[in-house]
Amino acid sequence: MVGDTVGSFVGWPSDLIFPDAETPTRPTHKVGKGISRRIESVASQKEVPGRKLKSAAKDIPTTSETKSQIMMRLEKMVDESDIMHGAIRSIDFDEGVFGAAHFEIIAKEDMQQLFEHDELGIAVIHTYIWYMYVTLMRGTELCNRFNFIAASRINATLITKNPTSVKNDLVDRFMAADDNTTPSLYFLPFNSGNGGHWVLVAMDLSRLIVYYLDSLSGDWSKYPSMKKTVDAAIIKFRSKKNYRNRKDITWVRVQCPQQNNSVDCGFFVLRFMRDIIALNRIDIPKLYFEEYKSYSRAHLDEMKDELCQFIVDQRII
């Protein structure tokens, strides 16, 4: 059970830290408290059937100058914990989140990204994805409609190093799903590498459509190796399944909300996924959704409060 494992302490030897690389295999032993860890560098309404997003209605309104009560509560918990002195937390995710066993490391730097509204690293991105899976999807039909791909396994840095391995990892993720003959979306939060820009790639394997959502101007031509790898993985997957390729893969640049600073790309990618799931939409309009033509700071603060509450509820700290 997840509740039995969150909040545990895991010693993390320095020779097992791989910036810009996939998450290493989980160690088989624990070495005690207070082991430092470098920050991950891969960074920076219709109701859903049966589920509702948790709101922070009990908290004071959040603005760029004011922190909510839940964020201040979590910040106090972190300040009073050994995380401030270099300790870490290891969290086991539900296997349904990424289609296989996955664990995440949370450290002081990750929490500071949340509290200070800084560029998001992979740990915060993944933890919010876990929140969406638990809160919106688990136990509902949405698990057959929306799937997540771990950014730690598919990113620009890894594609540069070993594109064939990344392609095969992507195919394995597609194969893990029970049914890919009906419309569904695979969400890939893609990072440009070395602490770079986040974009969202959403793949509909049944209709051979790939949606590209970028909170900065431009399209997938900025990342030709990513597009080549995604296309090759989809073709290989359909070949393994003996699906007939009825047409070419179509890429669609969605005119989504745009950020107005240099730090919000990770928040926008999370918000894109959140809205698509909350609206229960497989088809993403080229002009995006009427309900969300733009994002205010309040839209992003809402997500931070959701994640803070989730971290408290899961007793991660």
Side-chain angles (χ1 to χ4, degrees):
M1 296 293 291
V2 173
D4 296 329
T5 58
V6 296
S8 59
F9 300 91
V10 177
W12 200 245
S14 60
D15 61 329
L16 293 182
I17 302 299
F18 301 97
D20 298 326
E22 61 186 273
T23 304
T25 305
R26 184 178 178 87
T28 56
H29 61 281
K30 299 183 179 181
V31 195
K33 304 178 182 180
I35 306 299
S36 297
R37 184 207 69 151
R38 287 181 292 177
I39 186 171
E40 299 284 355
S41 60
V42 188
S44 330
Q45 180 176 61
K46 296 177 183 177
E47 292 290 352
V48 172
R51 292 292 170 92
K52 293 184 178 181
L53 285 165
K54 292 183 179 180
S55 67
K58 297 179 181 179
D59 300 324
I60 59 175
T62 304
T63 68
S64 56
E65 294 84 20
T66 306
K67 293 182 179 179
S68 67
Q69 290 180 0
I70 186 59
M71 180 175 287
M72 290 189 293
R73 177 185 173 189
L74 179 58
E75 193 167 12
K76 185 174 185 294
M77 292 170 63
V78 171
D79 287 342
E80 295 175 349
S81 75
D82 55 1
I83 287 180
M84 294 303 294
H85 305 290
I88 61 170
R89 300 294 187 269
S90 177
I91 315 166
D92 287 315
F93 285 15
D94 303 53
E95 288 194 9
V97 178
F98 294 122
H102 180 89
F103 79 100
E104 201 64 53
I105 300 295
I106 300 291
K108 178 178 71 174
E109 295 90 345
D110 304 306
M111 302 307 302
Q112 289 174 334
Q113 293 166 13
L114 191 60
F115 300 148
E116 299 172 8
H117 196 92
D118 203 351
E119 296 179 9
L120 294 185
I122 200 167
V124 178
I125 295 286
H126 280 176
T127 305
Y128 190 83
I129 286 174
W130 182 34
Y131 157 78
M132 288 190 290
Y133 176 83
V134 170
T135 306
L136 298 177
M137 296 170 54
R138 188 169 62 187
T140 76
E141 64 176 16
L142 297 182
C143 287
N144 297 321
R145 291 174 62 80
F146 301 104
N147 305 276
F148 300 105
I149 299 169
S152 54
R153 301 194 67 82
I154 316 291
N155 57 65
T157 301
L158 292 179
I159 290 174
T160 300
K161 293 178 179 178
N162 194 336
T164 300
S165 176
V166 173
K167 178 189 69 176
N168 291 336
D169 279 347
L170 197 49
V171 172
D172 289 343
R173 178 64 184 101
F174 296 155
M175 296 293 290
D178 293 331
D179 178 23
N180 282 299
T181 60
T182 57
S184 62
L185 284 181
Y186 284 82
F187 292 124
L188 168 61
F190 180 79
N191 191 268
S192 63
N194 298 318
H197 182 55
W198 289 99
V199 301
L200 179 63
V201 178
M203 294 159 272
D204 182 341
L205 304 184
S206 66
R207 295 185 295 178
L208 292 178
I209 297 175
V210 179
Y211 299 99
Y212 180 88
L213 294 86
D214 189 344
S215 56
L216 294 177
S217 59
D219 60 18
W220 53 84
S221 62
K222 293 188 293 186
Y223 312 111
S225 60
M226 178 273 289
K227 182 180 184 299
K228 181 179 179 180
T229 301
V230 168
D231 286 347
I234 293 174
I235 292 171
K236 182 175 180 179
F237 162 74
R238 292 183 65 86
S239 175
K240 292 184 71 167
K241 283 287 194 177
N242 294 318
Y243 295 156
R244 182 177 302 173
N245 285 327
R246 298 163 298 173
K247 58 180 181 179
D248 294 335
I249 300 169
T250 300
W251 283 66
V252 177
R253 179 179 179 269
V254 178
Q255 297 181 35
C256 53
Q258 299 289 284
Q259 66 189 85
N260 58 9
N261 58 31
S262 62
V263 302
D264 277 351
C265 57
F267 291 102
F268 272 59
V269 162
L270 294 177
R271 186 78 203 197
F272 294 151
M273 291 187 284
R274 178 191 189 275
D275 291 342
I276 293 166
I277 296 171
L279 293 171
N280 195 12
R281 292 285 297 273
I282 299 299
D283 58 315
I284 305 175
K286 189 172 182 179
L287 299 179
Y288 205 54
F289 304 109
E290 286 294 332
E291 295 90 336
Y292 300 107
K293 287 296 186 181
S294 63
Y295 292 149
S296 67
R297 176 60 183 265
H299 285 108
L300 309 186
D301 288 341
E302 180 181 19
M303 294 192 306
K304 292 191 294 186
D305 286 349
E306 290 168 349
L307 186 53
C308 286
Q309 185 67 62
F310 183 70
I311 290 172
V312 170
D313 290 346
Q314 295 293 324
R315 300 180 180 178
I316 292 174
I317 302 303

